[in-house]
Amino acid sequence: MTTQQGPGGPVGLPEWDRCAVMGVVNVTPDSFSDGGRWFDPDVAVKHGLDLVAEGADLVDVGGESTRPGAARVDEAEELRRVLPVVRELAAAGVLVSVDTMRASVAEQAVTAGATLVNDVSGGQADPAMIPVVAAAGVPFVVMHWRGQSIDMNNRAVYGEVLADVLAELRVGLDRAVAGGIDPARIILDPGLGFAKDAGHDLTLLAHLRALRALGRPLLVAASRKRFLGRVLAGAAGDPPPARERDAATAAVTAIAAREGAWAVRVHEVHASADAVRVAHAIERAAGAPATGEGA
Ligand code: PMM
């Protein structure tokens, strides 16, 4: 694998010739779709390795639930959850991302072998985050975020969701760069479900190209989210439980890949790994002579 230097993906990570797949390992008792399943560190490590075997290019390890209404966990507990899992996965050769809003957790996770810091607050929750990431020189995910999960649903108020998210993501990007992070290492994420209702999420997904025009690689994290439950339920029905939204997630993966997303973040990897490969094959066919040969 070579390290990507060009505009396609972030500097500091390998270069993939298709949309990458980031598998999720939530070392939490309370995440919305898989809380408690991977809470034991050994089980979490095994799950991370299984996700890689299913086709994950990176594994995102988090120790704090960000579901709507969630309260914060304390720092010592977050470190206790995350560090052993990051350390073991990295030692096994897995490319690890750490999903945290705390600079101390990011810093220690990088020391333990994490290659990427995924901060849903884009550095807003902890003023020490941006300096720590700048000093570590690792890639950084800046997600669109309007405040902590405990009351984020109250902030789902937009003039025009696409224009507002674009403007706020640009502010987040500028904040990170002003704080010393190399812009070539920054990944942007529209933050589906964070201070957004189902209509907002769908509008953002319908305009991934506009988000890409911000000039940074795009991470799309639709996996099992509420808006998929709303779509599947129809106007009056009850949404299926989160773990029954994986086929819908893979549908989003195929579309995101085709629209040029850099990566998708998913709980169930197998179907999304297939989806990015199919999207890539179609992309290649689009650039080939229309003879149908060589399929
Ligand atoms: N969503 C969750 C957690 N981490 N990270 C990024 N970059 N983008 C997201 O949309 C995102 C995230 C939601 O919780 P989950 O781990 O249970 O899916």
Side-chain angles (χ1 to χ4, degrees):
M1 280 187 292
T2 55
T3 296
Q4 185 130 6
Q5 300 294 337
V11 167
L13 284 171
E15 182 176 2
W16 293 284
D17 64 354
R18 51 164 171 75
C19 179
V21 178
M22 176 188 279
V24 180
V25 176
N26 284 321
V27 194
T28 57
D30 57 344
S31 287
F32 79 97
S33 84
D34 57 355
R37 289 194 76 199
W38 327 113
F39 196 41
D40 175 87
D42 292 338
V43 177
V45 170
K46 161 96 173 52
H47 183 54
L49 295 173
D50 287 347
L51 295 181
V52 171
E54 287 169 24
D57 301 295
L58 315 106
V59 171
D60 192 37
V61 178
E64 177 171 37
S65 170
T66 49
R67 71 178 200 289
R72 302 291 317 264
V73 301
D74 72 43
E75 179 184 346
E77 175 64 11
E78 191 183 350
L79 285 165
R80 193 193 66 73
R81 293 177 184 179
V82 160
L83 288 184
V85 180
V86 169
R87 192 174 295 114
E88 276 212 49
L89 286 174
V94 175
L95 215 48
V96 177
S97 150
V98 62
D99 185 345
T100 184
M101 290 184 273
R102 282 201 174 92
S104 56
V105 176
E107 190 168 37
Q108 292 186 53
V110 169
T111 302
T115 308
L116 168 72
V117 174
N118 172 25
D119 177 357
V120 297
S121 82
Q124 296 183 77
D126 182 345
M129 179 63 92
I130 288 174
V132 157
V133 172
V138 292
F140 185 53
V141 176
V142 172
M143 197 192 81
H144 178 261
W145 187 83
R146 284 186 159 184
Q148 294 292 350
S149 300
I150 190 88
D151 58 357
M152 67 180 171
N153 284 347
N154 300 333
R155 301 197 176 92
V157 181
Y158 297 88
E160 262 188 74
V161 67
L162 177 63
D164 293 355
V165 168
L166 281 169
E168 290 168 34
L169 268 178
R170 178 163 289 289
V171 170
L173 174 61
D174 291 347
R175 182 189 300 117
V177 173
I181 298 180
D182 175 1
R185 293 186 198 273
I186 296 176
I187 297 151
L188 297 177
D189 179 335
L192 300 173
F194 285 80
K196 293 169 196 83
D197 65 24
H200 298 139
D201 290 337
L202 290 165
T203 300
L204 292 167
L205 283 171
H207 292 94
L208 291 179
R209 277 168 201 247
L211 291 159
R212 275 184 64 206
L214 289 169
R216 300 306 316 138
L218 206 60
L219 174 64
V220 174
S223 188
R224 298 180 175 171
K225 284 192 173 163
R226 276 172 303 161
F227 78 97
L228 294 175
R230 273 275 127 250
V231 169
L232 296 175
D238 289 332
R243 288 183 60 195
E244 290 172 23
R245 301 175 195 163
D246 287 331
T249 300
V252 176
T253 292
I255 291 166
R258 193 73 175 96
E259 294 295 308
W262 165 73
V264 291
R265 177 185 179 278
V266 296
H267 301 87
E268 196 283 313
V269 161
H270 195 164
S272 282
D274 284 356
V276 297
R277 282 163 180 79
V278 172
H280 182 58
I282 294 171
E283 183 77 36
R284 276 200 315 241
T291 59
E293 285 170 22

